[in-house]
Amino acid sequence: MFFKKKNNNYFFDSFTELTKFAVEEINVLSEGLANFDKSNLLDLKNRVHQIEHSADKKKKEIEEKLAKEFMTPIDREDIFVLLDKIDDLSDSIDEISYKLYIRNYKELPYKINLFIDKSKEAILALYDVFANFASINKKEIIEPKIDKVLQLEEAVDKLYESYVHKLYLDLKDYESIRLGERVYSYFEYVTDKCRDVCKTVLIIMYKNL
C-alpha cells in the first residue's frame, strides 16, 4: 500500500501527543502527592482533570480527521482502537485524583511513592514506544520498547502483592487496610492500562511486518 507522508506523520504524531497528556497527568499527580495534604485534593483533582479534558478534545479532533481520510498509514480500525486504549490510560490517571478527593483520603499508604514512580516510568516508556511508532514494521526497534513497559507493569504487580500483604500483616484496622489496598490498586490499574496499549501496538506491529 502507498500512503501520503503527511498522513503518516499526522497519525503517528497524534499517538505521541495523546500519550504526552498521560505523562503530564502523572507528573501533576506525582507532584501533588509528594507532600500529601488532604486540603489540596480538590485542587489536585481539578488540575489533573483539566489535562484529561484536553486529551479528550484532542482525541475527538484526531477521530474527526480520521473519518475524513481516504488513506491511513495503518488500518483505520487499528487507529480507532489505539486511540481508545490511550484514552483509557488517561482516564485511569484522572480517576486516581478523583477518588482520592471524593473518598476524602486523610493519608496515603506506606511506600506509595514506589507505585507512583513505577507508574511514571511505565508511562514514559510507553511514550517512547510511540516516539518510535513510525518504525511499527521493524520488530527489532518496537518490541524491546514494548518489553520495557511490560516489565514495569509486572514490577508493579509484584509491588501490589507485596505491599497489600504487608497491610494485612501490620494493620489491625480493616478500614485502613481497605483504603490502603485501594490506593495501591489505583496505580496498579494505571500500569495495566499501559500494558493494554502495548498489546494493541503488538497486534498492529505483527499485522504490518
Side-chain angles (χ1 to χ4, degrees), residues 18-114:
L18 276 185
T19 309
K20 189 175 181 179
F21 285 111
V23 173
E24 292 174 4
E25 284 180 86
I26 197 67
N27 283 338
V28 169
L29 184 64
S30 175
E31 290 168 7
L33 298 181
N35 296 295
F36 182 76
D37 183 343
K38 67 183 183 66
S39 66
N40 295 330
L41 285 178
L42 176 58
D43 177 63
L44 181 61
K45 175 187 76 71
N46 290 338
R47 288 166 59 207
V48 174
H49 184 67
Q50 184 58 48
I51 300 170
E52 189 274 335
H53 181 63
S54 297
D56 282 343
K57 288 172 64 177
K58 182 62 182 178
K59 176 175 178 279
K60 184 176 180 181
E61 174 190 312
I62 298 166
E63 289 173 336
E64 288 175 352
K65 183 173 178 63
L66 179 58
K68 298 174 183 176
E69 287 293 330
F70 177 67
M71 294 188 297
T72 54
I74 57 176
D75 288 347
R76 189 182 307 270
E77 307 87 78
D78 289 337
I79 296 175
F80 274 117
V81 170
L82 197 47
L83 293 175
D84 279 341
K85 295 292 185 182
I86 299 171
D87 182 58
D88 288 344
L89 171 60
S90 287
D91 288 346
S92 72
I93 304 167
D94 184 41
E95 190 175 0
I96 296 175
S97 58
Y98 174 74
K99 286 184 174 178
L100 289 175
Y101 169 69
I102 63 168
R103 289 172 174 162
N104 195 33
Y105 274 81
K106 296 177 176 62
E107 60 181 353
L108 297 176
Y110 179 71
K111 292 292 186 180
I112 190 61
N113 62 297
L114 297 178

Side-chain angles (χ1 to χ4, degrees), residues 156-206:
V156 174
D157 281 349
K158 290 177 181 177
L159 280 177
Y160 178 80
E161 178 182 322
S162 175
Y163 281 95
V164 170
H165 181 61
K166 184 172 176 59
L167 287 176
Y168 281 89
L169 286 177
D170 295 349
L171 301 180
K172 304 301 179 186
D173 174 27
Y174 178 72
E175 183 67 10
S176 296
I177 294 172
R178 183 175 66 89
L179 292 175
E181 184 175 357
R182 274 180 174 174
V183 179
Y184 290 149
S185 72
Y186 298 157
F187 288 95
E188 193 252 351
Y189 186 67
V190 166
T191 58
D192 283 349
K193 295 295 104 178
C194 292
R195 176 203 61 201
D196 293 347
V197 175
C198 281
K199 285 185 175 180
T200 302
V201 173
L202 272 174
I203 291 169
I204 295 169
M205 181 188 75
Y206 279 107

Side-chain angles (χ1 to χ4, degrees), residues 112-153:
I112 190 61
N113 62 297
L114 297 178
F115 289 80
I116 297 171
D117 290 346
K118 286 296 180 186
S119 297
K120 187 186 295 188
E121 282 186 60
I123 294 168
L124 287 171
L126 181 63
Y127 181 84
D128 190 42
V129 171
F130 286 116
N132 291 272
F133 198 80
S135 300
I136 189 64
N137 61 342
K138 297 178 181 177
K139 183 178 178 182
E140 68 278 9
I141 294 176
I142 296 296
E143 197 164 48
K145 296 183 181 300
I146 289 175
D147 286 344
K148 183 176 180 180
V149 178
L150 299 182
Q151 288 165 11
L152 287 163
E153 186 269 335

